Amino acid sequence: MPIAAARHPHVEDAPTAPTTPTAWDEPPAGGAEVAEPYLLTTAVFDDSEPTGPVTSGVHTHTDALLVWPHTGSITLRTRNTVRRLLPGQGAWLPPGTPHAASHEAGGISCYTYVARRAVPPGWSAARPMRVSRALQEMLLHLDATAMPDDLRLRTQRVIIEMLEEDTLPAIEVPVPEDRRIQVLADDVMRDPESDLSVEGWAARHALSVRTVTRTFSRDVGMPFARWRSLVRMSAATALLAQGHPVNLVAHRSGYATTSAFCAAFRRITGASPTEYLREQAAPAPAAH
């Protein structure tokens, strides 16, 4: 089926994300709201013509939000976590949750807003979601097709009943609270291939190694080296989903050999790169 227009009239163009850490305490409200009598609506961002990534600044919505990529990947950031979502993976954000997102160039990214009155009981916290290909196609069909209100509402109720938590979620990369270390962490996430040591990263940001190591232990509960492994594996999943060979993904993830990369990948995910994609991601959409 055809994908809806690249921008929806009820969604404002996202502002460019700042290069310094954004305050999360008072994020602006924005985005689509579900109009009565409907229960949900989906905004589709078609960046299939690769002109560069699209990034939003930190903001909130009055409705709940299901974030999911149809093709490509979405990098979703909440106050303390960064997730790289692949097709088949999603994230549920309760109403009012501050977040920012970046769409991969060449992909199709989707944001399904769910009215407060339609939120499943007990879904008051963020959670990983499984977004099957069938569910994706139903949401895209609703977005692109005119239909009577009673049929649209029945379909929306079925979709909400189909929502399920993912038992094999995307890799979560925790983010330090300390703003000085956030700048360093952002640089590492932008360059997972770098072989800089913790000493090198600390020096680049005019910080002491002691400050960096203590902050990572305190804020994310793990040493810098293990945290960087999460960053690298998160980046690797997106490269694998794009169809890059494992040896290239290993190099671009900062590993000297494919075997070292595969061993690290299994330690983090519990699966080989091939197994991870098979178990985690939805099948690719058929050609239309």
Side-chain angles (χ1 to χ4, degrees):
M1 60 169 285
I3 300 299
R7 292 291 184 272
H8 284 232
H10 56 270
V11 179
E12 297 180 357
D13 286 340
T16 301
T19 57
T20 56
T22 303
W24 292 81
D25 296 331
E26 297 182 1
E33 295 184 13
V34 182
E36 293 277 4
Y38 306 114
L39 305 180
L40 57 84
T41 187
T42 299
V44 179
F45 290 78
D46 186 350
D47 298 305
S48 54
E49 294 297 328
T51 57
V54 178
T55 302
S56 75
V58 178
H59 61 286
T60 66
H61 299 287
T62 56
D63 297 311
L65 181 63
L66 175 64
V67 181
W68 55 279
H70 184 58
T71 62
S73 67
I74 298 174
T75 300
L76 175 67
R77 182 163 186 164
T78 53
R79 187 182 189 107
N80 301 116
T81 306
V82 175
R83 301 178 184 87
R84 187 77 63 95
L85 302 172
L86 309 181
Q89 298 173 336
W92 173 269
L93 301 178
T97 302
H99 63 281
S102 177
H103 318 161
E104 175 193 324
I108 297 172
S109 304
C110 303
Y111 299 82
T112 297
Y113 302 86
V114 179
R116 285 175 175 266
R117 63 187 177 280
V119 172
W123 284 33
S124 58
R127 62 188 64 205
M129 301 295 293
R130 181 70 180 168
V131 187
S132 67
R133 186 59 62 186
L135 184 58
Q136 292 183 38
E137 294 298 337
M138 291 175 69
L139 287 166
L140 292 173
H141 180 71
L142 279 181
D143 176 73
T145 308
M147 62 182 68
D149 280 355
D150 59 343
L151 176 57
R152 184 173 296 275
L153 284 168
R154 288 200 304 272
T155 307
Q156 290 178 349
R157 291 188 188 99
V158 170
I159 287 172
I160 290 172
E161 290 179 1
M162 291 175 65
L163 295 177
E164 60 177 338
E165 191 164 351
D166 197 345
T167 58
L168 297 170
I171 296 170
E172 293 189 358
V173 179
V175 179
E177 287 277 357
D178 188 306
R179 294 208 175 188
R180 298 170 301 165
I181 311 302
Q182 282 182 22
V183 176
L184 182 153
D186 287 344
D187 278 354
V188 176
M189 287 188 282
R190 280 191 291 267
D191 189 14
E193 186 178 338
S194 172
D195 60 359
L196 270 181
S197 64
V198 64
E199 290 82 6
W201 283 111
R204 176 175 289 186
H205 288 269
L207 295 167
S208 71
V209 175
R210 178 181 173 85
T211 295
V212 174
T213 55
R214 289 183 64 179
T215 302
F216 271 92
S217 294
R218 182 192 68 221
D219 287 2
V220 306
M222 67 184 73
F224 173 83
R226 176 165 175 77
W227 176 85
R228 183 167 62 177
S229 293
L230 289 178
V231 171
R232 288 174 165 178
M233 294 306 107
S234 179
T237 60
L239 294 171
L240 290 166
Q242 292 167 12
H244 294 296
V246 173
N247 60 340
L248 176 62
V249 174
H251 174 72
R252 292 181 60 182
S253 301
Y255 289 87
T257 67
T258 301
S259 59
F261 165 72
C262 290
F265 194 95
R266 185 176 289 278
R267 282 196 301 271
I268 297 295
T269 67
S272 71
T274 302
E275 291 167 346
Y276 180 88
L277 285 182
R278 184 171 61 245
E279 294 172 3
Q280 300 267 42
H288 298 297

